[in-house]
Amino acid sequence: MPDRSQHLIGLLLGAEEDWPQAFEALLRRVGPVESAGTTHEFGTERLTIEPFDLNDPVRVGLVIDRLAYWYYHPREWLKKAALMNGTYLLNSPFTFQAMEKHSAYCAMLRLGLKIPRTVLVPYKNPVDNVRWAYTSAKYNKTFDLDAIADDLGYPMYMKPFDGGGWRGVSRIDNREDLHTAYDESGEMLMHLQATVEYEKFARALSIGAETMVMDFRPDEPMHNRYAVSHDFLSPSAGHQAVAISRIVNAFFGWEFNSCEMLVAGDSVHPIDYANACPDVAITSLHYYFPWAIGALVKWSVFSLATGRRTKVDLHTERYFAIADDESLDYDAKIEAYLKLADEHFETARYHEWVAQNLPNFDEQLVEWVKSADFDRILTETVKATYPAHEQDKFQAHFRGLTGLWVIDQSR
């Protein structure tokens, strides 16, 4: 008789219902997995927030976290679970501050990626600290905001150093825009970032060893931002977009993250590549939603069945050694970084394992998207998202896009 191993996946959630229901339903369809003489069984549990002893055992073997980037109590529980119990985490809670954009910019600049020039400026309004007045009067240097902007060049963008959901982001076309945005920033700490004349705005969603690069239109309403557009980048730019996303994730120990890039020809400029809670809503991803949930299920199952371990140590010196190698040009460095990233994600092993142990997964995924259960999730999400008079329109809109995905899988 084969050995049996039971695995529990914890979902640490905020206000989402669509993708968690989808994840749970698809995982049930996967059922037990036979691998290397062991039968692996998988279940899920929605995690609750409660007092915990630092010595408490942890029942779940893997956690998909969508909450701890802003809620400190579960963040500290995740750190305890990783350090003391060996719980596998898709995103490292130890590098959350890097997901506040600034650290990520610095790290990727250190690797020589084409990050637009960025300047951090002091707070417009005093921070809420009794020591502010003395420190500011003695040590804060006066500065010329207009001179900084003139040096960067218009247009540019002002955005919070910690980012998140396009909060506080402003396009700056002139000095009036500059001062209006800065005055409104209040106690937010802001970056000024030069822009790039670009042809395409690409957004890559990476889940484990898989990446989907999508044609993103930030000025459109949320339901229409992701265009169903294949081959919208040149082969070189497409390869760079995938590589940069994986390199960022491997560098920081993230496995569920999105990366935004401005693309001009074959030149790819990352502008936002640190997202502790990347968008996986059915009402925004639509056509790409089945892929995202499928990738999330496969990566979770693979990680648990193969005994993958969270790496707390980042070993950034390996990347910096490549960055400092003067014999390598930009493309060669990207390939060397990507080799480290593929090593981190066990990319080849992952694809081989999925092909061998989940041979019918793609068919199961298509059948699930065609099912009444999937349509129920879609219907409930539309009803929860849109006013009653718009629900029929959006129901048809999203059914059409997910139906197109089903058709495309049979080609």
Side-chain angles (χ1 to χ4, degrees), residues 136-154:
S136 177
K138 189 167 184 178
Y139 297 111
N140 278 23
K141 292 185 66 175
T142 58
F143 68 99
D144 188 336
L145 184 64
D146 290 322
I148 294 172
D150 290 343
D151 186 49
L152 283 173
Y154 294 97

Side-chain angles (χ1 to χ4, degrees), residues 382 386-399:
V382 168
Y386 298 100
H389 70 280
E390 293 185 341
Q391 289 172 8
D392 288 346
K393 177 183 72 173
F394 282 108
Q395 185 78 1
H397 176 75
F398 295 122
R399 276 179 177 160

